[in-house]
Amino acid sequence: VGFGSADNNQTSNNVTALGYEAAGLGTQANQVTAIGSQSLYKNTAADNTACGYAALFENTSGANNTAVGSEALLNNTSGTQNTAVGYRALDANTSSSYSTAVGTEALTSSNGPYNTAFGVGALALCTSGQQNTAVGYHSSRAVTTGLYNTSIGLESAKSATTGSYNTCLGYRAGHAQSHFSLTTQSNRVVIGYSNTTNAYIKVAWTVVSDAR
């Protein structure tokens, strides 16, 4: 349905195209659903779903992707098994796989694999960083090349950039206004906000080894 929709899909099976030039240029792509103007426009790979203007627009060989939102996974070409939900979520990704972004501009700059971002602007500036997990509004927003970081909470680790193996838990934990501002450091654990007054745990902390 729509001018130029599924225009070149002459030998494909189980294709649904709704919108101007939806799935319009690609050929031989089975099990494809394109809803929105120019969604999955260049697609030639199977099992992709795009819903929104230009979602998965550049995709050619990447399979098993799901993009919901205007320009979600816009530049993906060969990346597989990515999920993007939200305006421009994962829109810079080209060839990386296994990332999940939910929220407006979540992982919008990323081309690294195995990243997970839930929240508006979460991991928004991440470029080549991989295997990071961010949950919350602007969580780990400034991380660019950092690896294996985990941040949970609104604006948690928001100022972190290139550090790796960091864990931040709580509202603005590791942010500039927290009791510790995480920027380029690695291997740090930050729990709580600057006005935290008490910490509770049922059992004593256990140190598993001594470096000395």
Side-chain angles (χ1 to χ4, degrees):
V1 179
F3 177 82
S5 60
D7 203 31
N8 290 314
N9 276 273
Q10 300 174 8
T11 60
S12 300
N13 299 310
N14 306 309
V15 173
T16 300
L18 174 61
Y20 170 72
E21 292 186 340
L25 190 61
T27 59
Q28 300 180 0
N30 298 321
Q31 292 80 243
V32 165
T33 301
I35 301 175
S37 177
Q38 295 186 325
S39 56
L40 277 169
Y41 178 64
K42 299 180 180 180
N43 184 66
T44 59
D47 302 299
N48 287 303
T49 300
C51 181
Y53 166 71
L56 277 166
F57 178 88
E58 297 284 352
N59 194 72
T60 51
S61 60
N64 305 107
N65 295 297
T66 300
V68 180
S70 178
E71 297 182 1
L73 276 167
L74 170 70
N75 292 295
N76 191 78
T77 55
S78 58
T80 65
Q81 301 185 59
N82 295 298
T83 300
V85 180
Y87 170 68
R88 287 189 174 177
L90 268 171
D91 77 325
N93 189 75
T94 57
S95 57
S96 289
S97 304
Y98 313 111
S99 287
T100 300
V102 179
T104 297
E105 295 187 339
L107 276 168
T108 188
S109 305
S110 178
N111 195 33
Y114 301 101
N115 288 305
T116 302
F118 283 82
V120 173
L123 282 167
L125 302 182
C126 184
T127 52
S128 60
Q130 55 182 282
Q131 300 188 57
N132 297 294
T133 300
V135 180
Y137 171 83
H138 280 192
S139 178
S140 288
R141 183 181 186 278
V143 167
T144 54
T145 58
L147 311 171
Y148 312 106
N149 295 296
T150 301
S151 58
I152 301 176
L154 185 146
E155 294 186 344
S156 53
K158 183 181 179 181
S159 304
T161 55
T162 58
S164 300
Y165 301 96
N166 294 302
T167 300
C168 294
L169 178 62
Y171 168 72
R172 286 189 170 178
H175 186 30
Q177 298 174 0
S178 176
H179 49 284
F180 180 79
S181 179
L182 187 64
T183 52
T184 60
Q185 304 89 338
S186 297
N187 307 301
R188 308 297 173 94
V189 176
V190 184
I191 301 175
Y193 187 50
S194 58
N195 58 359
T196 300
T197 57
N198 298 86
Y200 303 92
I201 187 170
K202 180 65 175 178
V203 296
W205 292 102
T206 301
V207 179
V208 295
S209 66
D210 190 330
R212 295 180 185 276

